[in-house]
């Protein structure tokens, strides 16, 4: 299993501002995944971040709103830009077993509230 | 399309067995998963089953897979209050698709 550290663990932000969430993994992985969990809802994949290439975004998510960096094999950031109350969610970073996209392990998440 | 469905709520008494059910749509799923989410925490991979298996047992947990009906279940034997959490079923189709989660309430 992988140990995933996310920060901040929670934040309260003002409308129109941006927040960058950091994700650190204790081993080198090719793919890192960013998920969103809206209040009372399931998890939705935002994007897949591969080191050395642009992130791949899922339908309904765009780079301008959720820019992602992946500077090395153990670290990634997700920025939530120009926030509105609808962005209030838990944002989770995850990695797959042995660098695959299977058996995902998750960080503890970032609880974001936008006022 | 891809879709995973679960019932939203289950209440059991401590010591009873819990059975959480899930249906999925993609017959090409390689693995099917059960995750547990406790309040304020991320998701913990509880167990998983490869698509060519029909049962997997891991201590108090039993996973049953019916590929014909695309039905997955998680049985927790001797349910404890510490098992109270939200349980998510997920199918793997190149990416993980999650169900809405089943809230398990365990009454003492």
């Amino acid at each position: 299993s992988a140990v995933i550290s996310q920060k901040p663990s929670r934040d309260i932000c003002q409308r129109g501002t941006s927040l960058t969430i950091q994700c650190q993994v204790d081993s080198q992985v090719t793919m890192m995944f960013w998920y969103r969990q809206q209040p009372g809802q399931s998890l939705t994949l935002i994007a897949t971040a591969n080191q050395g290439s642009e992130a791949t975004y899922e339908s309904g998510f765009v780079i301008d709103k959720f820019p992602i960096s992946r500077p090395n094999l153990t670290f990634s950031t997700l920025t939530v830009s120009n926030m509105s109350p609808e962005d209030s969610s838990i944002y989770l970073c995850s990695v797959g077993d042995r660098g695959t996209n299977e058996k995902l392990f998750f960080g503890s998440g970032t609880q974001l509230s936008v006022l | 399309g891809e879709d995973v469905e679960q019932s939203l709520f289950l209440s059991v008494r401590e010591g009873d067995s819990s059975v959480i059910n899930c249906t999925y749509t993609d017959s090409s799923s390689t693995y099917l998963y059960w995750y547990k989410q406790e309040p304020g925490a991320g998701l913990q991979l509880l167990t998983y089953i490869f698509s060519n298996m029909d049962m997997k047992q891991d201590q108090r947990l039993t996973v049953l897979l019916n590929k014909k009906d695309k039905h997955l279940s998680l049985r927790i034997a001797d349910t404890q209050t510490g098992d109270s959490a939200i349980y998510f079923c997920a199918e793997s189709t190149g990416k993980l698709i999650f169900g809405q989660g089943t809230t398990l309430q365990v009454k003492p």
Side-chain angles (χ1 to χ4, degrees), chain B residues 23-100:
Chain B
T23 58
Y24 61 97
T25 54
D26 195 324
S27 57
S28 66
S29 297
T30 49
Y31 289 95
L32 293 128
Y33 300 92
W34 285 103
Y35 282 85
K36 177 182 180 182
Q37 186 178 37
E38 296 180 84
L43 269 73
Q44 172 196 351
L45 177 58
L46 206 55
T47 188
Y48 61 91
I49 188 167
F50 191 52
S51 58
N52 69 353
M53 298 170 65
D54 50 22
M55 187 182 91
K56 179 179 180 180
Q57 186 146 5
D58 183 1
Q59 300 182 337
R60 291 190 298 122
L61 305 178
T62 303
V63 179
L64 295 178
L65 174 59
N66 181 328
K67 284 195 74 174
K68 175 176 169 289
D69 294 339
K70 299 191 186 71
H71 183 267
L72 182 74
S73 68
L74 173 70
R75 178 177 180 270
I76 305 173
D78 186 25
T79 312
Q80 303 297 306
T81 53
D83 295 324
S84 295
I86 303 175
Y87 291 81
F88 290 93
C89 165
E91 65 173 345
S92 172
T93 62
K95 62 183 181 183
L96 262 63
I97 306 296
F98 288 84
Q100 317 96 300

Side-chain angles (χ1 to χ4, degrees), chain A residues 27-82:
Chain A
S27 56
Q28 294 185 337
V29 292
T30 308
M31 290 185 285
M32 295 176 76
F33 307 91
W34 286 99
Y35 280 82
R36 180 175 75 181
Q37 185 179 20
Q38 293 178 297
Q41 302 292 315
S42 184
L43 280 78
T44 302
L45 180 62
I46 298 172
T48 302
N50 295 317
Q51 196 272 333
S53 63
E54 292 284 332
T56 303
Y57 288 83
E58 297 298 309
S59 175
F61 297 96
V62 295
I63 188 171
D64 289 347
K65 176 67 176 176
F66 297 101
I68 287 171
S69 79
R70 185 77 206 276
N72 58 51
L73 290 172
T74 62
F75 188 78
S76 178
T77 67
L78 170 77
T79 298
V80 187
S81 302
N82 188 24

